[in-house]
Amino acid sequence: MANITLYELPGCPYCAKVIDKLDELGLEYDSIEVPRAHGERTDVEEVSGQTGVPVIVDEEHGVDGMAESDDIVQYLEETYGA
């Protein structure tokens, strides 16, 4: 099981940006597809306090529910980049 979990919505350009960075860095991650309706996104809301995606959880580094694609990409680069 991967240490990183990504909450995403297929077709979301912000999610794609995070996925591209995960792939670029060769990181394994679990993907959880959230429903289209914000009102049904209880899983991601429990983790991050909001219903937007993308959101990551990185258990190994104590990250519980980081949102905002730019912040996530920066975090991944700083934590796992060369």
Side-chain angles (χ1 to χ4, degrees):
M1 181 175 156
N3 289 325
I4 298 173
T5 302
L6 170 66
Y7 292 83
E8 62 157 324
L9 182 65
C12 164
Y14 303 106
C15 298
K17 182 178 184 178
V18 172
I19 291 168
D20 288 346
K21 180 54 70 174
L22 287 162
D23 291 344
E24 175 188 318
L25 295 171
L27 298 172
E28 289 186 27
Y29 63 95
D30 294 321
S31 176
I32 297 176
E33 192 174 312
V34 300
R36 287 218 167 268
H38 281 264
E40 297 175 13
R41 296 181 183 178
T42 53
D43 288 351
V44 73
E45 188 172 18
E46 286 175 15
V47 168
S48 67
Q50 48 97 45
T51 59
V53 288
V55 167
I56 66 162
V57 173
D58 184 354
E59 294 177 14
E60 185 175 333
H61 292 94
V63 174
D64 295 325
M66 179 181 288
E68 298 299 326
S69 60
D70 288 338
D71 293 344
I72 295 170
V73 167
Q74 181 179 348
Y75 164 77
L76 292 171
E77 188 64 47
E78 289 174 357
T79 306
Y80 295 101

